[in-house]
Amino acid sequence: MKSGKRNIFIYLAIGIVTGVFLRIFIINVEKVSGTSMEPSIKEGETVIVNKLAYGIANPATGKLIVQWAKPEINDIIVYYMNDKLVMKRCVGVENMPLDFSKDSEYSFQVGGIEIPLTEQQYQRLKYNTSVPEGTVLAIGDNYEESVDSRIYGFIETDCILGKVIWH
């Protein structure tokens, strides 16, 4: 009987270690808080994040140790901003041109999509004629509610922790 209890403990320990390893390095299930990705992803919805989509992240720093891919246009990426896990759509990749509006409205086009800007956002971004090397432009689908690259700038690709693969 003693060996049966010992086996259960071993299996339980292996299960816990495997679960923790999967959660830290491979896949994560997150509940969405906020409306920045609506209508694509609604507040309260559950998403699955592939943490190996772009590389292996250091769980302590949130930066990639090894990077084997970079986000592509329309990927929904996950990264930390101000110690909060954020998910936004990648709308621009490195060296992609940014065409700012010439009229009185503040906006820019990237990849054929027109994205509105406030005057403050325009002032912050207007000197960038393209997405800088090693970064992406990450914007929430809900332009009016999203706090994104228009406010805090471009996202370094080695800080992107994963890609939403299911929602």
Side-chain angles (χ1 to χ4, degrees):
M1 217 48 183
K2 252 185 173 181
S3 100
K5 286 183 180 182
R6 182 175 170 198
N7 285 342
I8 290 172
F9 176 75
I10 290 171
Y11 291 136
L12 185 61
I14 290 171
I16 290 170
V17 168
T18 301
V20 168
F21 178 81
L22 287 171
R23 174 121 163 72
I24 290 174
F25 293 106
I26 298 177
I27 202 157
N28 204 7
V29 178
E30 294 288 338
K31 191 166 189 152
V32 176
S33 67
T35 60
S36 72
M37 286 302 294
E38 288 186 0
S40 301
I41 303 174
K42 298 189 179 351
E43 184 171 17
E45 199 172 325
T46 300
V47 298
I48 296 177
V49 178
N50 175 2
K51 290 184 160 187
L52 292 177
Y54 308 116
I56 299 173
N58 178 340
T61 65
K63 285 196 159 222
L64 294 180
I65 302 167
V66 177
Q67 184 175 17
W68 48 68
K70 292 184 179 178
E72 297 177 8
I73 300 299
N74 284 323
D75 284 358
I76 299 175
I77 58 175
V78 177
Y79 54 93
Y80 280 104
M81 181 55 59
N82 299 325
D83 297 325
K84 183 179 176 193
L85 194 62
V86 175
M87 63 185 74
K88 304 290 180 198
R89 187 172 305 279
C90 175
V91 297
V93 295
E94 60 187 14
N95 301 318
M96 198 169 193
L98 301 175
D99 298 317
F100 289 89
S101 174
K102 307 274 190 275
D103 61 23
S104 62
E105 295 293 315
Y106 294 107
S107 67
F108 67 91
Q109 282 199 359
V110 59
I113 300 169
E114 185 162 347
I115 298 172
L117 299 169
T118 64
E119 182 179 1
Q120 182 181 13
Q121 293 166 346
Y122 171 78
Q123 295 299 331
R124 180 182 319 256
L125 294 171
K126 71 180 180 181
Y127 299 108
N128 295 287
T129 57
S130 64
V131 178
E133 193 82 29
T135 68
V136 299
L137 183 66
I139 307 284
D141 290 352
N142 184 350
Y143 297 150
E144 291 181 16
E145 297 293 321
S146 183
V147 175
D148 50 40
S149 285
R150 297 172 295 170
I151 294 172
Y152 48 68
F154 301 95
I155 307 302
E156 294 178 19
T157 56
D158 68 348
C159 293
I160 298 170
L161 303 176
K163 173 183 175 180
V164 173
I165 58 172
W166 182 84
H167 62 89

